[in-house]
């Protein structure tokens, strides 16, 4: 049995099929982990999310910011953006079934000595604190009496840093942003949301979250930051968003031997 961790799909289902063929994926024996952002920006969001959902317990997926954006539209009353490409998903007969499945997914997964998240883990949190705070927001998203209000109020850049004194939606929003939107932070853990490119030109006082000494001692698998092209300079900070939706690569990381397999995405574009 092999476990393959796959970077952000963003609706690139044709490329996923090619990658799974290249690694020799066996549906009956192997497991797949996904770093989130199953949907949006690419052409096959519906196909991608239906496939991952169909895998049941043989797949693990953490929520990404694009997945949450879809849920904010479906459940929170927000409007789609001009750049969104999930019209097929929005009009699908199983749209609500898929949306309820997505809101049951975790923000963080820990297994076999690895931690998987979408954007990262702030260096100011221990592993136990990270797990507890992920579970705190997950419980709200899964609560039939609370999830709609959560998705109505989810968006926002404030507060930009953690405080133990935070309560209510401010607390839930900053936790969600750490797990699904974080790139650059200060030593105190304050997030910057304006810079999305390479490390050149980062705002003064901010560094990539993975450059600070982490209180989490296990390797961290993450996606979200396509401009890095997977390069972190740290063997245990494993970036897997290699820009498939932008015509670069889709990446699979094998947990058993730490090998990396990639397919070129431009030539496979649907």
């Amino acid at each position: 049995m092999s476990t393959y961790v796959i970077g952000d799909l963003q609706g690139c289902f044709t490329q996923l099929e090619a990658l799974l063929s290249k690694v020799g994926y066996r549906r009956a024996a192997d497991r797949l982990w996904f770093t989130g952002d199953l949907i949006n920006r690419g052409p096959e969001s519906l196909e991608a999310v239906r496939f991952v959902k169909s895998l049941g317990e043989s797949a693990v997926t953490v929520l990404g910011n694009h997945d949450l954006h879809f849920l904010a539209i479906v459940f929170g009353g927000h409007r789609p953006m001009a750049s969104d490409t999930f019209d097929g998903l929005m009009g699908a007969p199983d749209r609500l079934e898929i949306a309820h499945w997505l809101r049951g997914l975790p923000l963080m997964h820990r297994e076999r000595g690895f931690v998987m998240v979408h954007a990262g883990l702030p260096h100011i949190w221990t592993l136990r604190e990270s797990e507890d705070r992920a579970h705190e927001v997950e419980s709200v998203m899964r609560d039939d009496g609370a999830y709609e209000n959560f998705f109505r109020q989810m968006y926002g850049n404030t507060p930009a840093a953690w405080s133990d004194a935070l309560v209510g939606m401010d607390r839930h929003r900053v936790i969600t942003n750490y797990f699904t939107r974080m790139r650059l932070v200060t030593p105190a853990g304050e997030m910057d949301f304006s810079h999305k490119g390479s490390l050149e030109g980062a705002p003064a006082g901010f560094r990539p979250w993975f450059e600070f000494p982490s209180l989490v001692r296990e390797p961290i698998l993450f996606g979200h930051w396509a401009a890095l092209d997977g390069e972190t300079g740290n063997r245990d900070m494993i970036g897997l968003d290699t820009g498939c939706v932008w015509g670069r690569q889709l990446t699979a990381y094998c947990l058993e031997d730490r090998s990396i397999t990639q397919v070129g995405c431009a030539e496979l574009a649907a």
Side-chain angles (χ1 to χ4, degrees), residues 104-135:
L105 296 180
L107 290 170
M108 171 180 171
H109 180 71
R110 181 189 178 207
E111 185 181 342
R112 299 177 57 189
F114 288 85
V115 175
M116 180 175 66
V117 289
H118 178 63
L121 287 181
H123 64 283
I124 58 175
W125 290 352
T126 66
L127 180 60
R128 178 62 181 272
E129 287 170 338
S130 300
E131 289 181 311
D132 287 348
R133 285 159 193 166
H135 292 158

Side-chain angles (χ1 to χ4, degrees), residues 41 64 114 137 153 218:
R41 300 287 172 83
F114 288 85
V137 172
Q153 299 188 59
E218 299 177 1

Side-chain angles (χ1 to χ4, degrees), residues 125-192:
W125 290 352
T126 66
L127 180 60
R128 178 62 181 272
E129 287 170 338
S130 300
E131 289 181 311
D132 287 348
R133 285 159 193 166
H135 292 158
E136 182 178 336
V137 172
E138 290 160 9
S139 68
V140 174
M141 289 191 291
R142 295 168 185 173
D143 185 337
D144 288 343
Y147 73 91
E148 290 180 329
N149 184 61
F150 172 84
F151 289 115
R152 278 194 295 269
Q153 299 188 59
M154 179 187 72
Y155 286 122
N157 295 339
T158 57
W162 175 255
S163 166
D164 289 333
L166 289 171
V167 297
M169 197 61 215
D170 280 349
R171 181 181 176 96
H172 296 154
R173 187 182 303 111
V174 74
I175 292 171
T176 303
N177 285 343
Y178 276 125
F179 280 111
T180 66
R181 297 180 63 205
M182 176 176 62
R183 291 186 178 94
L184 298 173
V185 297
T186 65
E190 179 184 353
M191 290 176 280
D192 169 77

